[in-house]
């Protein structure tokens, strides 16, 4: 909704005041700066009095000051879902209470300090779903997520310049880290983790991976210098998507060596070098990972460039994968990729030796 007409304000006033329902199930707002804070406070307070179960509050005017919501919202004992965008929590008085809250989305929310963000999460004893998009100046240096009940966590710090993330979430099943932080630290092994999406630029990737050993599906996009956690085995991993935008393959080989059930491998240049291919070479390992020889069944390579480095890896995988059923290659979707280049890629791949007689080669 756009609150750019007095008529709209009167409509919301009447709708809330005349409602006779014993419980207000859901209230969604998309507002701009022409909506006064006085109106917003009245609407939210009225909704809270009606036993509000879900609030989705999206303040759209990004260049203005973030909106402040009434204190009564933060002691609303009926809330199950709370989604806030461009809201300030600097004036919230703690402790707060969200005894029934299961889903919390904080999108470009401003806090008072590190402690206020931690206190907010500690007030959600049954929280299962947390979506957090960090603002550049949200007043938090170390964001602590200490939530034993949490099952799904999406963390986006791509707009935050200097941040730490500290996690203790033993019940987590799904994790997404899209993060430009200096440090991400996980303090507790996550035995319930099923799927993880790790796209980070911090170099302590081994500290992250060692606590994800139970994962079944993993997307991994990390810096070149990232190390594999010593002594860790990914016993449950069946699908790995590996980002190829960096220039070294050591971590990929380590993942293959330590993932005994890996059946599906997807390679994808999710971050582009630009027009030119990477210049670094790839050294073929002395020993072939057993997973590659005896387990891997599917290979999918998106944004394949066909350069020497990529061709060397494709040669290695196709040659040594004895159980491979299908290998699919999709060329880089870029204006510089001509039909002639595609034909050369197809020819090169078709001539490669295949360790599996039943392997079907697909080129799109």
């Amino acid at each position: 909704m756009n609150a750019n007409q007095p008529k709209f304000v009167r409509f919301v006033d009447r709708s809330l005041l005349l409602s006779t329902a014993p419980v207000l199930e859901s209230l969604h707002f998309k507002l701009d700066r022409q909506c006064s804070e006085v109106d917003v406070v009245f609407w939210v307070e009225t909704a809270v009095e009606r036993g509000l179960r879900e609030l989705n509050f999206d303040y759209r005017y990004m260049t203005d000051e973030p909106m402040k919501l009434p204190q009564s919202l933060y002691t609303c004992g009926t809330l199950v879902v709370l989604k806030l965008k461009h809201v300030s929590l600097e004036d919230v008085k703690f402790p707060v209470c969200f005894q029934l809250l299961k889903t919390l989305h904080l999108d470009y929310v401003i806090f008072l300090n590190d402690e206020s963000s931690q206190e907010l999460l500690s007030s959600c004893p049954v929280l299962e779903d947390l979506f957090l998009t960090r603002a550049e100046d949200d007043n938090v240096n170390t964001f602590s997520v200490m939530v034993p009940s949490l099952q799904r966590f999406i963390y986006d710090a791509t707009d935050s310049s200097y941040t730490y993330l500290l996690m203790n979430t033993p019940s987590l099943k799904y994790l997404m880290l899209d993060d430009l932080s200096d440090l991400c630290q996980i303090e507790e092994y996550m035995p319930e983790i099923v799927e993880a999406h790790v796209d980070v630029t911090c170099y302590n990737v081994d500290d992250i991976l060692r606590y994800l050993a139970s994962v079944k599906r993993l997307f991994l996009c990390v810096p070149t210098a990232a190390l594999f956690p010593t002594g860790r085995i990914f016993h449950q991993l069946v699908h790995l998507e590996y980002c190829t935008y960096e220039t070294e393959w050591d971590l990929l080989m380590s993942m293959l060596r330590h993932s005994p059930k890996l059946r599906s491998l997807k390679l994808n240049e999710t971050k582009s070098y630009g027009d030119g291919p990477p210049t670094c070479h790839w050294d073929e390992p002395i020993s072939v990972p057993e997973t590659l020889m005896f387990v891997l069944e599917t290979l999918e390579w998106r944004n394949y460039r066909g350069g020497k480095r990529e061709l060397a890896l494709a040669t290695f995988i196709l040659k040594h994968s004895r159980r491979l059923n299908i290998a699919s290659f999709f060329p880089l979707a870029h204006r510089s990729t001509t039909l002639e280049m595609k034909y050369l890629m197809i020819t090169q791949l078709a001539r490669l030796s295949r360790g599996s007689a039943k392997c079907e080669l697909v080129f799109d």
Side-chain angles (χ1 to χ4, degrees):
M1 299 180 186
N2 276 322
N4 55 3
Q5 299 289 339
K7 185 184 298 184
F8 169 77
V9 175
R10 292 195 299 271
F11 168 77
V12 178
D13 287 343
R14 288 197 306 269
S15 298
L16 289 172
L17 291 173
L18 296 177
S19 173
T20 59
V23 174
L24 182 57
E25 290 290 341
S26 180
L27 183 61
H28 292 216
F29 285 115
K30 289 185 180 179
L31 306 172
D32 62 26
R33 64 172 180 166
Q34 293 180 341
C35 178
S36 73
E37 191 169 307
V38 173
D39 290 324
V40 170
V41 168
F42 173 72
W43 294 336
V44 173
E45 287 182 339
T46 303
V48 168
E49 293 174 0
R50 297 287 194 273
L52 182 63
R53 292 177 57 83
E54 176 179 349
L55 175 64
N56 188 334
F57 188 89
D58 182 352
Y59 185 55
R60 289 280 171 165
Y61 199 75
M62 297 179 63
T63 60
D64 216 15
E65 289 294 320
M67 184 66 73
K68 295 179 180 179
L69 301 179
Q71 179 69 28
S72 61
L73 174 65
Y74 304 103
T75 55
C76 181
T78 58
L79 271 177
V80 178
V81 177
L82 178 60
K83 299 179 181 181
L84 303 177
K85 187 172 184 178
H86 299 127
V87 169
S88 173
L89 305 182
E90 293 175 281
D91 294 337
V92 174
K93 296 180 176 60
F94 290 93
V96 301
C97 182
F98 289 125
Q99 290 297 318
L100 300 181
L101 196 68
K102 291 188 175 182
T103 299
L104 177 61
H105 289 202
L106 301 174
D107 205 354
Y108 300 104
V109 167
I110 306 301
F111 297 90
L112 179 62
N113 49 33
D114 290 15
E115 290 72 23
S116 66
S117 64
Q118 188 170 356
E119 284 189 76
L120 177 66
L121 295 182
S122 66
S123 304
C124 309
V126 296
L127 189 64
E128 297 178 356
D129 187 335
L130 175 61
F131 182 100
L132 177 61
T133 301
R134 299 287 302 276
E136 183 176 1
D137 299 311
D138 62 5
N139 299 324
V140 178
N141 289 323
T142 299
F143 207 106
S144 299
V145 181
M146 309 295 183
V147 187
S149 61
L150 197 64
Q151 298 185 24
R152 182 179 175 88
F153 180 32
I154 297 176
Y155 180 82
D156 183 351
T158 53
D159 290 332
S160 189
S161 57
Y162 183 79
T163 60
Y164 291 162
L165 172 65
L166 189 61
M167 290 177 58
N168 191 330
T169 53
S171 300
L172 205 65
K173 292 180 170 60
Y174 177 86
L175 172 66
M176 176 181 285
L177 297 177
D178 194 357
D179 175 32
L180 298 180
S181 300
D182 299 272
L183 178 67
C184 175
Q185 182 176 342
I186 300 176
E187 290 196 334
E188 181 77 25
Y189 180 58
M190 293 183 282
E192 304 296 326
I193 193 76
V194 174
E195 184 171 351
H197 182 117
V198 179
D199 185 352
V200 297
T201 57
C202 56
Y203 287 98
N204 64 318
V205 176
D206 52 331
D207 288 339
I208 300 174
L209 290 179
R210 72 175 64 254
Y211 291 101
L212 300 177
S214 296
V215 72
K216 293 183 179 180
R217 299 178 62 85
L218 176 63
F219 171 88
L220 199 56
C221 193
V222 296
T224 298
L227 300 176
F228 186 85
T230 304
R232 187 60 69 191
I233 303 293
F234 288 80
H235 289 286
Q236 304 301 321
L237 188 64
V238 295
H239 174 78
L240 171 64
E241 181 173 351
Y242 192 88
C243 177
T244 63
Y245 85 101
E246 289 288 1
T247 57
E248 303 295 338
W249 300 100
D250 292 345
L251 182 59
L252 174 61
M253 290 297 111
S254 294
M255 291 297 301
L256 290 173
R257 288 192 184 94
H258 297 89
S259 305
K261 294 182 180 180
L262 188 69
R263 298 196 304 270
S264 173
L265 174 63
K266 180 178 179 180
L267 304 176
N268 191 2
E269 186 181 313
T270 58
K271 297 181 180 179
S272 177
Y273 290 100
D275 292 339
T279 57
C280 294
H281 68 283
W282 176 65
D283 291 325
E284 183 174 318
I286 298 175
S287 61
V288 181
E290 291 190 3
T291 299
L292 195 61
M293 291 192 290
F294 305 119
V295 183
L296 192 68
E297 298 176 354
T298 302
L299 170 67
E300 179 182 337
W301 196 326
R302 295 273 172 178
N303 292 309
Y304 178 75
R305 288 179 176 269
K308 290 183 179 180
R309 188 179 71 103
E310 290 86 351
L311 183 60
L313 180 61
T315 301
F316 180 77
I317 294 176
L318 291 177
K319 177 181 178 181
H320 296 291
S321 300
R322 303 177 187 177
R323 296 193 60 184
L324 200 63
N325 294 321
I326 185 169
S328 304
F329 292 83
F330 301 83
L332 181 70
H334 193 274
R335 62 181 181 276
S336 63
T337 307
T338 65
L339 288 175
E340 183 179 356
M341 294 173 63
K342 291 182 179 180
Y343 176 76
L344 178 60
M345 292 180 198
I346 295 173
T347 304
Q348 290 175 330
L349 291 170
R351 290 174 179 172
L352 296 181
S353 173
R354 299 176 217 173
S356 171
K358 62 180 180 180
C359 177
E360 177 185 359
L361 186 64
V362 177
F363 192 89
D364 189 349

